[in-house]
Amino acid sequence: MTTASNYTQLTGDYTIDPAHSRLGFVARHAMVTKVRGAFNEFEGSAHVDGQNPANSSAALAIAANSIDTRNPDRDAHLRSNDFLAMDEHPEITFRSTEITWTEQDTFEVTGDLTIKGVTRSVTIPLSYEGQATDPFGNSRIGFEGSTTINRQDFGITWNAALETGGVLVSDKIVLEFELSAIKQN
């Protein structure tokens, strides 16, 4: 079993490695299927206090125009004022306000998520996936998790009614995090 003392060696400052991380999302489309996408440009950092996770912190900055659902027309619509309004709000940000160790290798990261100029508190359960030294001598740690938000809470209200009932785009959006971070010297 992992105990708090097992995390002591992780204490330090980290930079998220975008080449080995994924910030994704899932939305229901036409109430019958899921559309998955990701943001391809982001940067982030974290301070990990392995002895006392409450003293840890994390921050992310995501380029809204890097949204990618593998469909250029849909991506252009998502960048528009109907959704992300990226010309006015080019960045989506997250800044932690509290980190708690909940069980063996699980943490809850609560923080302020800002999308389209609207900030709401969200909690992201993250599982610690481990630590490794890569072939270049970098000490890496990994975390994975997801949380669900309501896009309307962030002022993203565009939708279209379906002839069969329901709407084209779900209000609930699942945010997915697969993070690899490199310890800074």
Side-chain angles (χ1 to χ4, degrees):
M1 168 150 172
T2 304
T3 64
S5 63
N6 294 100
Y7 294 115
T8 303
Q9 77 279 3
L10 302 180
T11 296
D13 294 316
Y14 292 81
T15 300
I16 294 175
D17 177 5
H20 295 97
S21 298
R22 179 178 177 273
L23 299 179
F25 60 90
V26 180
R28 201 156 271 291
H29 178 262
M31 304 196 59
V32 297
T33 191
K34 293 177 181 176
V35 170
R36 296 180 186 280
F39 291 94
N40 295 327
E41 294 176 29
F42 53 88
E43 58 185 32
S45 61
H47 171 74
V48 175
D49 184 328
Q51 192 64 38
N52 184 2
N55 291 331
S56 299
S57 61
L60 278 172
I62 303 164
N65 69 352
S66 73
I67 196 166
D68 182 3
T69 64
R70 300 176 304 129
N71 181 303
D73 291 336
R74 179 175 45 226
D75 294 346
H77 191 203
L78 291 171
R79 290 181 186 109
S80 77
N81 288 342
D82 285 344
F83 288 92
L84 295 177
M86 60 143 282
D87 289 337
E88 293 176 53
H89 306 285
E91 204 169 65
I92 297 167
T93 61
F94 177 83
R95 185 166 304 281
S96 68
T97 56
E98 180 180 19
I99 297 178
T100 56
W101 182 29
T102 55
E103 55 185 74
Q104 185 171 332
D105 284 328
T106 307
F107 298 83
E108 285 189 347
V109 179
T110 299
D112 294 329
L113 176 64
T114 302
I115 303 173
K116 200 176 174 181
V118 177
T119 302
R120 298 279 185 253
S121 180
V122 299
T123 298
I124 307 161
L126 291 175
S127 62
Y128 170 65
E129 297 299 314
Q131 184 275 335
T133 301
D134 68 22
F136 307 102
N138 297 310
S139 177
R140 293 179 174 270
I141 56 174
F143 291 90
E144 290 184 3
S146 66
T147 194
T148 301
I149 63 168
N150 185 322
R151 65 187 179 90
Q152 290 204 21
D153 292 344
F154 295 90
I156 304 171
T157 59
W158 183 91
N159 224 328
L162 298 175
E163 184 179 299
T164 55
V167 291
L168 186 62
V169 182
S170 63
D171 286 339
K172 290 184 179 179
I173 308 295
V174 177
L175 304 178
E176 301 172 322
F177 303 87
E178 298 167 20
L179 304 170
S180 176
I182 300 171
K183 192 171 193 176
Q184 303 303 296
N185 293 328

